[in-house]
């Protein structure tokens, strides 16, 4: 990804973060996923009074893309609302590893951008 493309993806993640529904944690997260063809899908975290049903931003973006039939992904940007890097949770890592194994993951904060591969974040993922 070119620096300008990464910047654009981070901006989309920041925009999605604004729509987060977080009455319980007050912790906003936004994610934006770009396909090999350059289409983007953004997601935010959505919390629910039945707390275990809360949904992460990364999986929201991934599910949006998968339900549109997308299969090949290039990169994802993730931003939180507290100025720190937001590392994807274990469930998101497992799903990204299965559906987007070649993804570059860019974690953005006011301090800068860090890049990770999926296998760096989740080595030895569960598979059958
Ligand atoms: N969350 C995400 O959306 N992505 C992550 O990678 C970690 C956590 C959400 C879940 C919950 O809504 C809030 O952030 C943390 O309590």
């Amino acid at each position: 990804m070119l620096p300008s493309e990464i910047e654009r993806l981070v901006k989309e993640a920041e925009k999605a973060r604004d729509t987060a529904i977080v009455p319980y944690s007050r912790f906003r997260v936004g994610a934006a996923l770009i396909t090999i063809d350059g289409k983007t899908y953004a997601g935010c975290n959505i919390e629910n009074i039945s707390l275990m049903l809360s949904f992460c931003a990364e999986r929201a973006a991934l599910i949006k893309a998968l339900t549109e039939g997308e299969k090949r992904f290039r990169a994802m940007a993730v931003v939180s609302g507290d100025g720190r890097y937001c590392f994807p949770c274990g469930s998101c890592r497992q799903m990204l590893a299965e559906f987007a194994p070649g993804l570059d993951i860019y974690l953005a904060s006011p301090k800068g951008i860090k890049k990770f591969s999926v296998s760096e974040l989740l080595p030895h993922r569960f598979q059958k």
Side-chain angles (χ1 to χ4, degrees):
M1 293 269 284
L2 298 169
S4 60
E5 295 176 301
I6 299 167
E7 278 303 315
R8 217 175 309 134
L9 200 60
V10 168
K11 288 232 163 12
E12 291 207 32
E14 286 170 348
K15 195 167 153 214
R17 182 182 61 192
D18 293 341
T19 54
I21 301 173
V22 290
Y24 306 103
S25 72
R26 308 264 174 214
F27 185 76
R28 291 178 177 278
V29 186
L33 182 60
I34 186 165
T35 67
I36 293 290
D37 303 327
K39 262 191 99 174
T40 58
Y41 295 86
C44 60
N45 53 333
I46 311 271
E47 297 177 353
N48 182 277
I49 194 163
S50 177
L51 296 177
M52 286 195 318
L53 300 182
S54 294
F55 218 78
C56 291
E58 296 92 323
R59 270 177 294 156
L62 179 64
I63 294 291
K64 263 169 94 173
L66 292 173
T67 54
E68 292 297 319
E70 300 291 356
K71 298 219 176 330
R72 299 175 65 221
F73 303 103
R74 190 167 167 213
M76 174 179 267
V78 186
V79 295
S80 77
D82 75 349
R84 285 186 286 178
Y85 294 106
C86 181
F87 282 81
C89 79
S91 300
C92 290
R93 293 179 196 205
Q94 180 65 35
M95 278 198 65
L96 291 171
E98 187 164 338
F99 293 109
L103 200 68
D104 287 329
I105 300 174
Y106 294 94
L107 307 184
S109 89
K111 286 167 250 157
I113 295 176
K114 292 182 190 222
K115 178 184 174 187
F116 296 90
S117 66
V118 173
S119 58
E120 272 177 308
L121 294 182
L122 186 67
H124 312 296
R125 74 177 170 99
F126 169 70
Q127 353 185 20
K128 287 205 275 183

